[in-house]
Amino acid sequence: MLIYLGFSAIATVLAALVLLRFGEASPAAVTHLVFVIGIMPLIVGAITHFVPVLTRSGRAPRSLLLAPLGLQLAGWLAFLDFRGEMPAAVTAAIGALVITVFLGGWLVLRARRTLGRAHPGWRWYLAAVFFLAMALILVPAMNWWPQARPELRLLHLHLNTLGFVGLTALGTLQVLLPTVLGGPDADAAKRLQHDLPYAIGGVLMAGFGAAFWLPLALAGAALLAYVGFRILVSWLRRYGARALASDGVTAPLVGALCGFLLLLALGMAHGLGILAGRDAVPAFVVAFLLAMVTGALTQLLPVWLHRGKRTPARERMHAALRRGGVLRALLFGLGGILLGLGIGEGIWSAVLGLLSFMIVLIRSLLGSSPARDPEDG
């Protein structure tokens, strides 16, 4: 399932970039194509993978492992609604909300039943799921109070991007990057516990501020930037800039964190009337999401595909996926900056980086086939 979700997210983002470039769908439809069909199911699948590790418990129940498929179905309904082909946005949101509540309840139960003390990273996932539920509740609310639709839409957007996606990514990065470098971050658990209230407060302030009062939004963005810079500074002190920038996995992950900080800067500039707000979403997708997804899949796909102990096939796949990772991080960063400044040609930088990843992914799958490696048996 996780392997399918990874491929699905990459294919969805590529399709969205093409649709956006050639004007085949509205920006709102393309945004929901990326988030609801590609990214949200992948995040839920990743949460069901990481939480048992963080709580030292068994695998998630099969019903929950299939939840991403239900979210994808809801996503397609929402996409059709934006295309004007089927009025199903409210139905899709309610269906996704049921799955989200189930996921949140499972998280709490797992944390209560953990052996010893659960890793504080699980609370970031719970907070992210809470923000997703809030964002979904706002979908029918927009229909019930059409006079408040512009404000509720902005709140819905920020709770999804900064809350659900942002908190999931910030929590995962602080566990994943030390794993990649093979050097544990002794401060990560303490930092995760300390920074979560600031991150939650920042999301709420940014979301409600964007909808109702600009100074509150600017303060929330600054608070989230504080959380992001603390992570970046900690990594630089512990691992050094060369180790972070020269590896095909760490470079995209660090690029994703920088992309998140870029999004906050673009959001502030939009709030102050310097930049157009419509450019922030594609910049967010390219500079943050693409860097995060490709970097995480580079590390995790070989583990998901070759479960159990390390094998030569897994190592070959890791090595293959790492090739070009630094260049891809630069392409995503450049594309995000250009798109954020309103330069549409930046999308080609993103497409080039994404196609590069797809090529090395296909090559890695062919080169790590267990059938070619008798030691894997």
Side-chain angles (χ1 to χ4, degrees), residues 78-87:
F79 179 68
L80 292 175
D81 183 278
F82 276 96
R83 295 274 291 180
E85 299 174 18
M86 182 185 298

Side-chain angles (χ1 to χ4, degrees), residues 214-247:
L214 176 60
L216 184 63
L218 297 176
L223 198 55
L224 286 170
Y226 160 77
V227 174
F229 275 116
R230 269 177 52 86
I231 300 170
L232 184 59
V233 169
S234 175
W235 286 350
L236 289 171
R237 288 176 177 172
R238 183 167 296 275
Y239 304 111
R242 177 173 295 182
L244 294 174
S246 60
D247 182 82

Side-chain angles (χ1 to χ4, degrees), residues 23-337:
E24 295 296 328
S26 68
V30 170
T31 299
H32 282 78
L33 178 68
V34 172
F35 282 96
V36 189
I37 300 175
I39 300 302
M40 186 168 71
L42 177 61
I43 288 178
V44 170
I47 288 175
T48 62
H49 170 77
F50 283 115
V51 166
V53 178
L54 297 175
T55 58
R56 293 181 291 278
S57 58
R59 293 181 62 188
R62 183 175 296 275
S63 57
L64 193 58
L65 294 175
L66 295 175
L69 297 180
L71 291 174
Q72 282 194 327
L73 176 60
W76 280 112
L77 291 175
F79 179 68
L80 292 175
D81 183 278
F82 276 96
R83 295 274 291 180
E85 299 174 18
M86 182 185 298
V90 173
T91 301
I94 292 174
L97 179 61
V98 172
I99 296 173
T100 301
V101 171
F102 181 47
L103 175 63
W106 173 76
L107 279 167
V108 173
L109 288 176
R110 278 300 171 95
R112 288 179 177 177
R113 296 174 182 175
T114 184
L115 295 174
R117 188 174 183 181
H119 190 282
W122 83 271
R123 295 184 182 276
W124 286 71
Y125 292 144
L126 181 63
V129 170
F130 170 75
F131 282 124
L132 175 59
M134 286 182 62
L136 291 170
I137 290 172
L138 290 175
V139 175
M142 282 185 260
N143 282 357
W144 295 334
W145 293 290
Q147 66 274 18
R149 184 179 181 84
E151 292 81 7
L152 295 180
R153 185 186 64 81
L154 284 172
L155 182 56
H156 170 82
L157 175 65
H158 286 79
L159 291 180
N160 266 321
T161 53
L162 298 179
F164 176 59
V165 180
L167 291 195
T168 300
L170 292 178
T172 301
L173 281 170
Q174 299 183 71
V175 177
L176 185 59
L177 187 131
T179 302
V180 173
L181 292 174
D185 184 351
D187 299 327
K190 182 178 179 181
R191 190 172 58 248
L192 284 164
Q193 187 169 4
H194 174 271
D195 289 354
L196 182 58
Y198 295 101
I200 292 174
V203 171
L204 290 172
M205 291 165 65
F208 281 95
F212 302 107
W213 191 45
L214 176 60
L216 184 63
L218 297 176
L223 198 55
L224 286 170
Y226 160 77
V227 174
F229 275 116
R230 269 177 52 86
I231 300 170
L232 184 59
V233 169
S234 175
W235 286 350
L236 289 171
R237 288 176 177 172
R238 183 167 296 275
Y239 304 111
R242 177 173 295 182
L244 294 174
S246 60
D247 182 82
V249 183
T250 59
L253 295 179
V254 175
L257 179 58
C258 294
F260 182 77
L261 295 173
L262 170 67
L263 168 74
L264 296 174
L266 292 174
M268 290 182 177
H270 164 57
L272 295 172
I274 300 173
L275 295 175
R278 66 178 181 276
D279 299 322
V281 173
F284 174 83
V285 171
V286 172
F288 175 52
L289 281 183
L290 278 181
M292 180 70 198
V293 170
T294 56
L297 290 179
T298 298
Q299 176 64 22
L300 296 173
L301 270 179
V303 177
W304 294 341
L305 190 62
H306 302 281
R307 295 184 178 274
K309 64 180 182 179
R310 288 189 176 183
T311 63
R314 183 198 288 186
E315 295 304 314
R316 281 199 305 272
M317 189 174 184
H318 264 138
L321 288 175
R322 275 184 159 91
R323 296 190 189 108
V326 176
L327 177 59
R328 287 192 292 275
L330 293 174
L331 288 171
F332 293 145
L334 174 63
I337 291 171

